[in-house]
Amino acid sequence: MTVRARSLRVFAWSLLVALIGGCTASRPATSEKPGEPVDPFPPATPQRVVEITRRIFPAVVRLDVAQEVYRDGKRTFERGIGSGVIIDEQGRILTNYHVAGRAAEIYVTLFNKERVPATLVGDDHWTDLAVVQMDMDVIRSRNIDFAHAELGTSSNIITGQDVIAVGTPFGLARTMTLGIVSNNERTLYPQQVTIDEFETAEFDNWIQMDTPINPGNSGGPLVDLDGKVIGINTRGGAQNLNFAVPIDTARDVVAQILASAAPDHRGHVTRADLGLSFKPLQDLESFYNIDINRGVLVDSVARFSPAHAAGVRTQDILLAVNGEPINVRFPEELAPARKRIARLPLGKPVTLTVRRGSETLELTTIAEKLEGAVGEERELKLWGASVRDVTRAYANEQNLDDARGVVITTLSPGYPAAQATLRVGDVIRDVDGSAVEDLEAFMTAYDKSVTAKSPRAVLGVQSGRNRRTVVLKLTYSD
C-alpha cells in the first residue's frame, strides 16, 4: 500500500469514528492486555490512530478571537480563528499567543457544537503560548459537558516517531493529520522569528514534523500514539516544515501564567536579561584558541544592559555564569543557553567568567527583567494618535540616547497630532515642560491636559538624532 493510500485510509477511518464517537472521553491508550509491557513508540496502525483521534477530538476547540490592535490612532479589534486544547477539568485552554494573545473577546466552540465565552488568563509571546479560561458559570448553567486532554512529556521525543496533529484549519470542523517527527530540537537560527513585531522562539527549540499545519490549525495539540499531548502546533509552511512548541515548555509557561494572574491583570512569565546575544563557536575554536565545547561567543552587547555595565565586550568568550560552565558549539544549543540566563534571579549579583584574548576575567553585574522591543500601547483619542512605551530593546534598535518617553505608533489624519506634523516613530520625551519617563508618566500628563481642557500641548520630541518642539492645538466638544 502506498503512503498516500495509507493516509487516505487512516483519514477515512478517523472521520468515521469522529462522527459516531460523540463526546465521551476514555482512559489513555495503553497495552490492550493488562500486565503486558507498553510499547514506548506504538505503531500507527489504523485501529490505534482511530482510537487516539476519537479520544483527543472532544478536547480540541475552535477559538474565535478579537485581538486588540491600533490603527490610524485608534484602538480597534482584529478578528481571527484558531485552535486550542482543553488541559484540565477547570476549563482552561492552551493555545498560541498569535491566536489568543492580547485578546479582548474570545468565544470557544466545543466538540458538541456548544459555544461559550472565555477570557484570556495570560500570554507569553516569547514561547508563542497563551492560556484561556472558559466561562464556567455558563458551562454549569447550561449543563455543558466537555473533556480535557492528557498532557504527556516532550523530553523523550525521538526523530521518526509517529505523531498526530489536530486542529480546526480554516475554521472547519476538527481535522487530524498523521506524520512523523522530523527533528526534536529545531532552531531557526540565525533567522529571528517574530509574531507581528513580537519576538518568539528565543528560549526553547521547537518540534519539527511533517504533519501539515494550515491556517486555523495553530494552537491545536500534537499528540503521540498514546494519546498524550506532546506539543502545541504553532506554524507550518512548505516542504513539510511544520513546528510545535514542546509540551514541557508549555507546562512551565502555564504554571507561571496561572501563578501570576489576578482579576485585575493577566498572567505572564518573568525572565531575566543581561543584554547579551550569542553566536555558536562551531568552526571558530581555532581562531579564538579555545577548546571544543567550551564557552559561547558574545556576538553583541546591548547598550544600557547589565552586561554592558559590567564591561562585557563583543567577541568575548563567555565561559561560565555563576561558576556553572556554559557551552554553545552548535545552533541548537543557543536556546538552552539563553534559558539559563532567563532563569537568573532578578536583582541578585551575577558573576560572568569571560575569556578575552589570553586573559580570563571575572565580571559582576545585576540581572534585569527581560523586555521585548514592543512596549505597552495606548490610545490618545483626543490627540488622534497611539503611543507605546519605549523599552530598552527598542531604544537600542533605534539608537536612542536612553529608554525614556513614548513612541508614536499610529496617527489619525486630520487630528491635532497629525496636524502638528508629528510622525510615526517620533519619541515624546516631555509634555508641557515635564519629562516623561515611561508610558504611565506620559498618560498622567495626557490625562491632566485633557481634564484641564488645555488649548495646547507643548511636546519635546526626538526624531532620529534630532530634537524639536511640537505644539498641538486642541479643541474640545461640549
Side-chain angles (χ1 to χ4, degrees):
M1 182 182 294
T2 65
V3 173
R4 178 176 176 82
R6 173 174 171 268
S7 300
L8 289 172
R9 179 182 174 186
V10 169
F11 176 76
W13 272 100
S14 304
L15 194 59
L16 177 61
V17 173
L19 290 172
I20 66 175
C23 292
T24 59
S26 59
R27 60 181 175 82
T30 57
S31 173
E32 295 296 328
K33 298 179 181 179
E36 185 178 289
V38 177
D39 186 348
F41 303 105
T45 63
Q47 293 85 355
R48 181 173 288 273
V49 171
V50 167
E51 167 62 13
I52 298 306
T53 303
R54 183 185 71 82
R55 286 171 46 201
I56 193 64
F57 264 29
V60 178
V61 300
R62 165 177 163 157
L63 298 174
D64 289 82
V65 179
Q67 288 180 309
E68 180 183 89
V69 295
Y70 291 82
R71 294 195 184 100
D72 297 328
K74 299 174 183 177
R75 177 176 177 264
T76 185
F77 300 100
E78 186 174 80
R79 298 190 177 274
I81 57 173
S83 305
V85 57
I86 305 173
I87 58 173
D88 59 28
E89 60 187 10
Q90 283 77 44
R92 299 186 183 110
I93 296 168
L94 183 56
T95 184
N96 289 142
Y97 177 89
H98 75 263
V99 170
R102 300 164 290 148
E105 179 185 272
I106 304 174
Y107 279 91
V108 176
T109 303
L110 297 166
F111 181 74
N112 54 14
K113 305 298 190 297
E114 293 280 1
R115 193 168 187 259
V116 297
T119 55
L120 177 63
V121 178
D123 51 32
D124 180 51
H125 67 82
W126 296 99
T127 53
D128 195 14
L129 293 170
V131 179
V132 170
Q133 174 67 63
M134 289 194 291
D135 190 325
M136 296 305 290
D137 290 335
V138 172
I139 293 284
R140 285 186 286 268
S141 67
R142 290 161 52 184
N143 197 27
I144 298 173
D145 290 327
F146 65 87
H148 65 85
E150 183 178 1
L151 303 186
T153 179
S154 49
S155 61
N156 58 0
I157 294 175
I158 63 171
T159 301
Q161 85 174 76
D162 293 301
V163 288
I164 295 172
V166 184
T168 58
F170 303 106
L172 303 173
R174 286 147 194 80
T175 302
M176 62 77 68
T177 51
L178 176 65
I180 63 168
V181 173
S182 305
N183 188 291
N184 59 359
E185 51 178 357
R186 172 60 65 207
T187 175
L188 299 183
Y189 176 86
Q191 177 184 349
Q192 292 185 323
V193 186
T194 59
I195 305 165
D196 296 329
E197 302 171 81
F198 295 87
E199 307 94 333
T200 194
E202 292 278 324
F203 303 103
D204 296 274
N205 294 325
W206 284 344
I207 303 166
Q208 180 184 331
M209 62 280 187
D210 69 355
T211 50
I213 305 298
N214 294 307
N217 233 355
S218 295
L222 183 71
V223 184
D224 65 15
L225 268 294
D226 279 327
K228 297 179 180 179
V229 178
I230 59 172
I232 299 298
N233 305 322
T234 182
R235 63 190 62 203
Q239 301 176 335
N240 291 329
L241 294 175
N242 307 288
F243 306 99
V245 180
I247 198 63
D248 290 353
T249 297
R251 282 180 184 274
D252 183 45
V253 169
V254 169
Q256 293 190 62
I257 286 176
L258 295 181
S260 59
D264 61 341
H265 65 264
R266 293 170 180 168
H268 60 277
V269 178
T270 300
R271 296 181 177 88
D273 181 34
L274 297 178
L276 293 172
S277 294
F278 298 134
K279 186 180 182 69
L281 274 167
Q282 184 180 14
D283 301 327
L284 295 172
E285 293 92 348
S286 59
F287 179 82
Y288 289 102
N289 191 28
I290 194 167
D291 294 337
I292 291 177
N293 294 328
R294 185 164 182 249
V296 57
L297 178 64
V298 175
D299 194 38
S300 68
V301 182
R303 293 181 307 146
F304 323 126
S305 70
H308 185 266
V312 181
R313 300 178 187 172
T314 300
Q315 297 199 46
D316 282 350
I317 306 295
L318 179 62
L319 299 175
V321 178
N322 287 337
E324 294 291 328
I326 185 166
N327 306 313
V328 177
R329 186 165 191 250
F330 301 104
E332 56 268 24
E333 295 175 305
L334 281 169
R338 295 184 189 121
K339 198 168 190 175
R340 280 189 54 190
I341 301 294
R343 285 179 168 173
L344 291 170
L346 298 178
K348 299 291 181 67
V350 179
T351 301
L352 305 176
T353 306
V354 301
R355 171 88 172 269
R356 183 177 298 159
S358 60
E359 293 184 279
T360 299
L361 308 174
E362 296 282 337
L363 305 175
T364 303
T365 189
I366 304 291
E368 295 180 345
K369 182 180 177 181
L370 175 70
E371 291 183 334
V374 180
E376 184 182 354
E377 195 164 6
R378 298 281 183 85
E379 174 190 25
L380 312 178
K381 187 173 293 186
L382 182 66
W383 292 7
S386 59
V387 295
R388 274 186 196 150
D389 205 4
V390 174
T391 66
R392 292 191 307 274
Y394 182 83
N396 280 320
E397 287 179 2
Q398 303 299 318
N399 291 316
L400 301 177
D401 296 332
D402 52 46
R404 291 196 306 108
V406 296
V407 58
I408 295 177
T409 53
T410 68
L411 292 165
S412 182
Y415 277 72
Q419 290 180 337
T421 68
L422 283 172
R423 297 186 293 269
V424 171
D426 283 349
V427 176
I428 301 174
R429 301 178 68 88
D430 60 75
V431 177
D432 293 332
S434 299
V436 290
E437 293 294 324
D438 52 26
L439 181 62
E440 183 178 356
F442 173 81
M443 292 306 299
T444 298
Y446 170 78
D447 290 338
K448 179 180 178 181
S449 174
V450 171
T451 301
K453 293 188 176 182
S454 301
R456 68 183 60 83
V458 182
L459 311 179
V461 175
Q462 181 172 348
S463 302
R465 302 300 301 170
N466 300 319
R467 301 289 185 96
R468 61 195 179 102
T469 299
V470 175
V471 179
L472 272 65
K473 297 180 180 179
L474 307 172
T475 58
Y476 302 85
S477 57
D478 295 332

